[in-house]
Amino acid sequence: MKSLLLVFLGGGIGSMLRYVLSKTLNDYFQHFFLGTFLVNSIGCLLIGFLMGLSLKENLISQNHTLLLVTGFCGGFTTFSTFAFEKHGLLRDGALWHFSFYTLCSLAVGVIAVTVGLWLARVL
């Protein structure tokens, strides 16, 4: 029961923060959803860092991993919104914007996870 409560609490906080950032930033660029892009990039960096700490001699506990990685990062990042936004770009015939945004999101996500793992290793 404690595990479920930790995931629920972290997920709720992450979801609220994602909503605020996306609502605030998504309207600034046409065909580039800056809020979604940033939450997914930051979430990748954070999950890499937190998992790196978890793997580095168990520097964070299993409860902290449930709260922060499974809960917060799971609620904060959003693949379903990413996919829905991509569908809209394809529907509108914005193939170049679709390709650019998709490649940027994937590249930055992988780089952010790598940097997060590196940060955890060097700290």
Side-chain angles (χ1 to χ4, degrees):
M1 188 63 159
K2 180 180 178 182
S3 297
L4 291 176
L5 186 58
L6 289 169
V7 171
F8 174 77
L9 180 62
I13 294 168
S15 294
M16 287 188 304
L17 186 55
R18 178 189 70 224
Y19 172 77
V20 169
L21 287 172
S22 292
K23 188 77 170 158
T24 304
L25 298 175
N26 274 356
D27 292 335
Y28 284 105
F29 298 97
Q30 187 177 11
H31 301 302
F32 194 89
F33 303 94
L34 183 61
T36 305
F37 179 77
L38 287 177
V39 298
N40 286 334
S41 300
I42 292 166
C44 288
L45 177 66
L46 189 56
I47 202 168
F49 180 70
L50 292 169
M51 289 307 295
L53 289 179
S54 178
L55 296 171
K56 184 180 179 181
E57 301 176 26
N58 296 324
L59 290 178
I60 61 173
S61 70
Q62 182 178 0
N63 286 337
H64 286 108
T65 301
L66 286 171
L67 175 72
L68 298 172
V69 174
T70 306
F72 180 81
C73 289
F76 185 61
T77 61
T78 172
F79 187 77
S80 57
T81 299
F82 172 80
F84 181 74
E85 291 166 349
K86 297 313 119 301
H87 169 74
L89 292 173
L90 286 175
R91 182 194 64 230
D92 296 342
L95 187 57
W96 188 89
H97 296 294
F98 167 84
S99 300
F100 177 72
Y101 183 54
T102 301
L103 289 173
C104 284
S105 295
L106 292 173
V108 170
V110 171
I111 290 167
V113 166
T114 303
V115 169
L117 288 166
W118 175 80
L119 285 171
R121 190 175 49 244
V122 299
L123 294 179

